Amino acid sequence: MAQTISPPVHTKAALDVELKDIVKTFGEDTAVQGLNLQIRQGEFFSILGPSGCGKTTTLRMIAGFEIPTSGELTIQGQSMNGIPAHRRSVNTVFQSYALFNHMSVWDNVAFGLKIKHIPKTDLRQRVGEALTLVQMESFSKRYPTQLSGGQKQRVALARALVNRPAVMLLDEPLGALDLKLRKQMQVELSNLHQGLGITFIMVTHDQEEALSLSDRIAVMKDGCIEQVGSPSEIYEHPATAFVADFIGDTNLLSGKLRTGSDYPLLATNSGLQVAIAPTQHTDTCDIDVSIRPEKIHLSTQVNSEPAPTYQNCFPAKVKHTLYTGPHIHCIIELTTGERLRVLQPNYIQYQPGESVYVSWLADDCQVLAD
Ligand code: ATP
């Protein structure tokens, strides 16, 4: 979205959303268990995790729609204990848009300001600015039923932005859009965030969306944070088997650590010995490692020997191949029995049953936390 006007300016000092030991229970069930998060001013922060892990509950507590059972939540250094949703400097954009169908686009965006009795000239200017920010000024007389999904989501964004919040909360904001429009709106959301410079906190279960939009991501599981980090930290150095598996595709191998050679080794029960990245773990302890499918190199026995820089090289057979457009997913089986997923560009085609070498770098074997 083109930024043709100045973004809203915040007079308040440093913005910081902080959750300290936040717990939320519903009756017997614990939705969020002792959550600690610090979200920096101007950051695009995503909360990512599978259904039911507590993402929305966390967002709703920041918004003030749910009250934490215990712990402390602060926004811009101010405790939110006892502060109702309408007095917080946050606005939420929902997946369902939550627009009023009986009101025009203009009135939908103006609604919050009218309730606050903002003077008419100020109101007109702010609604106009918000609609310009999302490129919907020419649609101001239309009703939500006369808009496409992407246009409705733009109006929902304008309705949140018109309040000039310090923090925008986005609950699966693009979840109702088809894939192509979703990709387009991701770019627009990112541009909007960069143009405004305010904090965006987004809940999503779409890992690709989180990776492409966020400055940092918190991965949640069962009401707890598994890892917080930049997209590349989370993808390249997953801390746990859950993160490795949830973010992208991966191969997990388990075994005992053997030190003493040039590289530490993972020794599996089947007799496979894999050179791995340096680790703090002690000799002979049980470890799990993750190897991303795109890090594994395939070559045929006939045409090319594996490059000597790969510390790991094993003979294998291709079991299955799956064409997905730009890539081919191969399942290969090592002579020791392990099956690995390998991602190949679509111009390299292997046939099921073909003998191959699989190779990868020791540094591409990430040792996971216990
Ligand atoms: P999804 O991606 O499916 O929306 P989520 O990660 O956002 O999932 P939450 O909606 O935060 O998950 O729910 C976390 C847990 O809390 C779930 O087990 C859910 O059933 C429960 N829960 C959420 N809201 C309530 C409620 N109002 N009353 C009772 N249980 C609730």
Side-chain angles (χ1 to χ4, degrees):
M1 270 169 241
Q3 315 289 274
T4 52
I5 55 169
S6 321
V9 176
H10 294 287
T11 51
K12 292 196 175 165
L15 165 69
D16 188 13
V17 176
E18 195 168 9
L19 285 79
K20 286 187 208 156
D21 301 322
I22 293 283
V23 174
K24 178 67 187 174
T25 55
F26 294 103
E28 303 273 285
D29 299 329
T30 305
V32 171
Q33 320 192 26
L35 213 64
N36 286 288
L37 274 182
Q38 278 204 331
I39 299 167
R40 300 172 194 141
Q41 182 173 22
E43 202 170 23
F44 198 129
F45 191 92
S46 294
I47 303 174
L48 178 68
S51 184
C53 72
K55 309 179 292 288
T56 302
T57 303
T58 303
L59 200 76
R60 288 173 60 79
M61 287 191 283
I62 300 171
F65 301 140
E66 298 285 359
I67 308 298
T69 308
S70 62
E72 180 156 39
L73 198 154
T74 56
I75 296 179
Q76 297 182 310
Q78 192 194 348
S79 170
M80 290 295 113
N81 281 355
I83 307 284
H86 68 273
R87 287 194 40 227
R88 299 186 183 195
S89 190
V90 302
N91 269 95
T92 308
V93 176
F94 300 95
Q95 176 180 345
S96 60
Y97 321 124
L99 299 176
F100 301 119
N101 280 337
H102 63 286
M103 287 185 192
S104 68
V105 165
W106 179 276
D107 287 336
N108 262 284
V109 177
F111 183 76
L113 299 183
K114 281 184 184 163
I115 285 182
K116 289 183 192 158
H117 303 294
I118 301 289
K120 270 193 180 151
T121 42
D122 197 12
L123 180 143
R124 265 198 296 275
Q125 189 195 337
R126 283 172 63 172
V127 174
E129 277 184 7
L131 286 172
T132 305
L133 272 174
V134 298
Q135 295 186 332
M136 285 297 287
E137 61 275 43
S138 58
F139 292 81
S140 63
K141 291 199 173 72
R142 289 223 197 153
Y143 285 80
T145 50
Q146 299 168 316
L147 300 175
S148 69
Q151 289 164 341
K152 281 185 206 166
Q153 196 51 285
R154 287 195 181 104
V155 178
L157 281 166
R159 199 177 52 175
L161 289 169
V162 81
N163 294 309
R164 299 180 175 172
V167 185
M168 282 276 278
L169 303 176
L170 304 144
D171 191 357
E172 300 268 4
L174 311 180
L177 307 177
D178 67 45
L179 188 63
K180 197 155 185 203
L181 186 56
R182 192 172 175 135
K183 297 268 174 219
Q184 184 192 329
M185 286 294 289
Q186 283 173 4
V187 175
E188 295 189 5
L189 206 54
S190 175
N191 287 343
L192 194 61
H193 171 254
Q194 281 168 21
L196 293 169
I198 63 173
T199 307
F200 278 31
I201 306 176
M202 180 176 77
V203 156
T204 181
H205 62 259
D206 182 330
Q207 27 125 343
E208 238 183 82
E209 191 159 284
L211 289 174
S212 59
L213 287 176
S214 318
D215 295 312
R216 285 191 308 149
I217 300 170
V219 183
M220 282 186 79
K221 179 194 171 201
D222 299 335
C224 299
I225 301 278
E226 286 271 306
Q227 187 174 2
V228 179
S230 68
S232 65
E233 280 165 357
I234 297 264
Y235 186 78
E236 301 286 345
H237 304 287
T240 64
F242 173 80
V243 175
D245 206 29
F246 188 72
I247 310 280
D249 215 359
T250 203
N251 295 288
L252 297 173
L253 292 176
S254 304
K256 290 223 179 286
L257 179 66
R258 300 263 183 257
T259 56
S261 16
D262 288 353
Y263 285 88
L265 297 173
L266 166 88
T268 69
N269 281 341
S270 66
L272 186 70
Q273 296 219 332
V274 178
I276 62 173
T279 169
Q280 305 292 330
H281 290 72
T282 49
D283 196 26
T284 72
C285 76
D286 291 326
I287 54 168
D288 298 316
V289 301
S290 152
I291 314 151
R292 295 288 186 195
E294 71 274 16
K295 303 287 188 189
I296 301 177
H297 176 79
L298 284 191
S299 62
T300 62
Q301 289 168 299
V302 182
N303 295 328
S304 65
E305 287 300 313
T309 46
Y310 292 111
Q311 293 83 19
N312 294 297
C313 175
F314 305 101
K317 268 211 180 347
V318 177
K319 298 301 285 184
H320 303 285
T321 61
L322 187 65
Y323 181 83
T324 61
H327 296 110
I328 296 175
H329 290 254
C330 300
I331 306 288
I332 60 101
E333 190 174 86
L334 304 184
T335 48
T336 41
E338 289 83 0
R339 286 194 169 197
L340 299 176
R341 280 179 284 191
V342 181
L343 198 64
Q344 289 285 294
N346 67 3
Y347 54 84
I348 306 177
Q349 301 217 3
Y350 290 97
Q351 301 305 318
E354 205 171 340
S355 293
V356 288
Y357 282 125
V358 287
S359 330
W360 66 88
L361 297 171
D363 279 344
D364 288 331
C365 293
Q366 292 301 313
V367 181
L368 306 168
D370 300 331

